[in-house]
Each structure stands twice: as structure tokens, then as C-alpha cells.
Amino acid sequence: DQQVKQNSPSLSVQEGRISILNCDYTNSMFDYFLWYKKYPAEGPTFLISISSIKDKNEDGRFTVFLNKSAKHLSLHIVPSQPGDSAVYFCAASVGGNKLVFGAGTILRVKS
Amino acid sequence: DVKVTQSSRYLVKRTGEKVFLECVQDMDHENMFWYRQDPGLGLRLIYFSYDVKMKEKGDIPEGYSVSREKKERFSLILESASTNQTSMYLCASSFTLLMNTEAFFGQGTRLTVV
């Protein structure tokens, strides 16, 4: 039973436009959420996180939104760049415990 | 910068072999993790450790064991490799479980069992 779900296996966006990646979760005890980015043949790298006490966190071109009532979070990338093309993983944890990951979304940014 | 280093980028092993995957971190992190990544399944936790000589099973521990004799080193052992263990293996480390903090990953080991 997947506690963290990324229902879109892939997303294609034009350079300069907004990329929106979505993630749903089922465990209401999750209190910390993260996004990781992964290039082929490399380990995931941390991108941005949000605590459950907040509904938005911004870092440069990246913004994460959390909707606790809907158990939904999203990652917005504006503007999208070709170098953003990668696999994006959503992850969640309870009280700083082990991270539970979604299946990932492949983002392709076309120039 | 945090560095998590996995001993091999690519490995090819035969069915039935005992396989050791090594991971070292240089940031004095308490927690260390082993995940495997498979297409469509994301990253699944195999084992984790929150202290030297301590270990906890993750979601898919069957066929694996781990060893943590020193704080900086966490080893994943495939007791008798099978073809369904062909995967990308990722090691990660983080600070204490009591803190909300990100985990740092190594570059991954692509293991093929033939």
C-alpha cells in the first residue's frame, strides 16, 4: 500500500513555462515533506522541503505547496529550464523518521 | 559539503553469490539508510540504522542483511544474490531521527545479477 503517490509518471513542459508536479499521501501523521531531484546514474539530491505547520515554502524558482486537508502537495518550478529535466521524487516522514518515497515523475523541459 | 560515498558504481554478480555493498559518510550522521530504486516503484527502504550496531528493517528486508560496526560505514549484504535483486541501490545518511532534516544520498550502485 503506497503511502505516497505520484500519479503522473511523466510531464513535458516548454522552456520558460511553469512545471507543476503533484504528490498525494494517505498517512495523516506525516509532518515533513521533501522533494528530491534525480539525474540518471546519480543519487537523488535534496531540492526543497516543507513542514506540516506551513502551507508554502519558496526557494528561488522552486515553490512547494501543502494542502493538508486534501493530503496533497505540489512542486512548482518557474521558469522551467532544460537543466530541470530529471526524475522528481516526493517524500514524507513522521517526526523525522525514515523517508517514504513516491514512485517519481519524469520531467522533460523542451527548449 | 556532506559526502556519501558508495564503493562501486556498477557491479555484475552471479546468482547465489554473496554480495557486499559499502557506504561511507563523512558528516558524523547518526542515521544511515539503504534503498533500492526500481522503475515505477520509486525508492523503497530495505534497512536503516540509527546508531552503531543498531538496525531496523525497512519495507523490503527479505534477502538482505546489514552491518554497522562504525558510525560512518553502513554495509548492505545480499546473502545469496538472485536476479530479482537486480536494481539501483542507494545509500543515504541524515542527522538524528528527532530532527526534521533531509537525507543525503550517495551516487548509487547499479547491481546486475546474472
Side-chain angles (χ1 to χ4, degrees):
Chain A
D1 180 33
Q2 275 194 307
Q3 297 184 69
V4 178
K5 297 179 184 179
Q6 294 177 256
N7 293 317
S8 298
S10 65
L11 175 68
S12 187
V13 171
Q14 198 66 37
E15 180 180 7
R17 306 296 292 268
I18 184 171
S19 295
I20 300 176
L21 297 104
N22 294 303
C23 179
D24 297 296
Y25 61 95
T26 57
N27 188 346
S28 57
M29 298 298 291
F30 285 142
D31 58 5
Y32 189 57
F33 303 89
L34 309 87
W35 284 94
Y36 279 82
K37 174 180 176 180
K38 186 180 183 299
Y39 293 117
E42 293 183 16
T45 55
F46 169 74
L47 201 53
I48 192 168
S49 64
I50 187 167
S51 165
S52 60
I53 62 173
K54 301 176 77 172
D55 54 19
K56 178 183 174 180
N57 189 26
E58 198 170 348
D59 183 2
R61 296 186 297 115
F62 303 92
T63 303
V64 56
F65 295 91
L66 175 62
N67 182 334
K68 287 190 292 294
S69 61
K71 295 192 179 72
H72 177 84
L73 69 156
S74 61
L75 174 68
H76 292 209
I77 306 173
V78 183
S80 301
Q81 300 173 353
D84 296 329
S85 297
V87 180
Y88 289 78
F89 290 100
C90 169
S93 71
V94 179
N97 210 323
K98 57 181 182 176
L99 292 175
V100 179
F101 284 84
T105 297
I106 300 170
L107 174 65
R108 295 187 185 90
V109 180
K110 298 174 290 186
S111 54
Chain B
D1 271 359
V2 174
K3 196 163 175 101
V4 179
T5 304
Q6 295 181 230
S7 54
S8 304
R9 291 295 298 268
Y10 300 95
L11 276 179
V12 180
K13 296 292 182 181
R14 294 194 180 278
T15 301
E17 274 193 79
K18 190 168 186 176
V19 181
F20 293 86
L21 303 182
E22 306 287 344
C23 176
V24 177
Q25 51 95 4
D26 66 359
M27 277 300 291
D28 204 33
H29 284 166
E30 286 84 1
N31 306 324
M32 296 190 75
F33 308 85
W34 276 105
Y35 289 87
R36 62 178 280 179
Q37 181 200 356
D38 300 289
L41 297 175
L43 278 69
R44 293 179 294 165
L45 183 65
I46 304 171
Y47 267 97
F48 69 102
S49 168
Y50 51 88
D51 201 352
V52 176
K53 296 192 188 293
M54 305 299 288
K55 61 184 179 185
E56 293 279 344
K57 292 181 180 179
D59 300 316
I60 50 164
E62 297 78 19
Y64 303 94
S65 63
V66 290
S67 172
R68 190 155 181 213
E69 297 296 319
K70 293 184 178 181
K71 191 175 186 179
E72 67 271 17
R73 187 179 297 270
F74 192 36
S75 303
L76 180 69
I77 303 152
L78 285 67
E79 299 292 342
S80 177
S82 63
T83 54
N84 63 13
Q85 291 178 311
T86 292
S87 187
M88 168 71 88
Y89 289 87
L90 293 159
C91 174
S93 71
S94 70
F95 284 114
T96 175
L97 287 172
L98 299 176
M99 290 173 54
N100 278 334
T101 181
E102 69 268 29
F104 296 86
F105 282 84
Q107 77 278 25
T109 297
R110 171 69 67 184
L111 173 67
T112 303
V113 182
V114 298

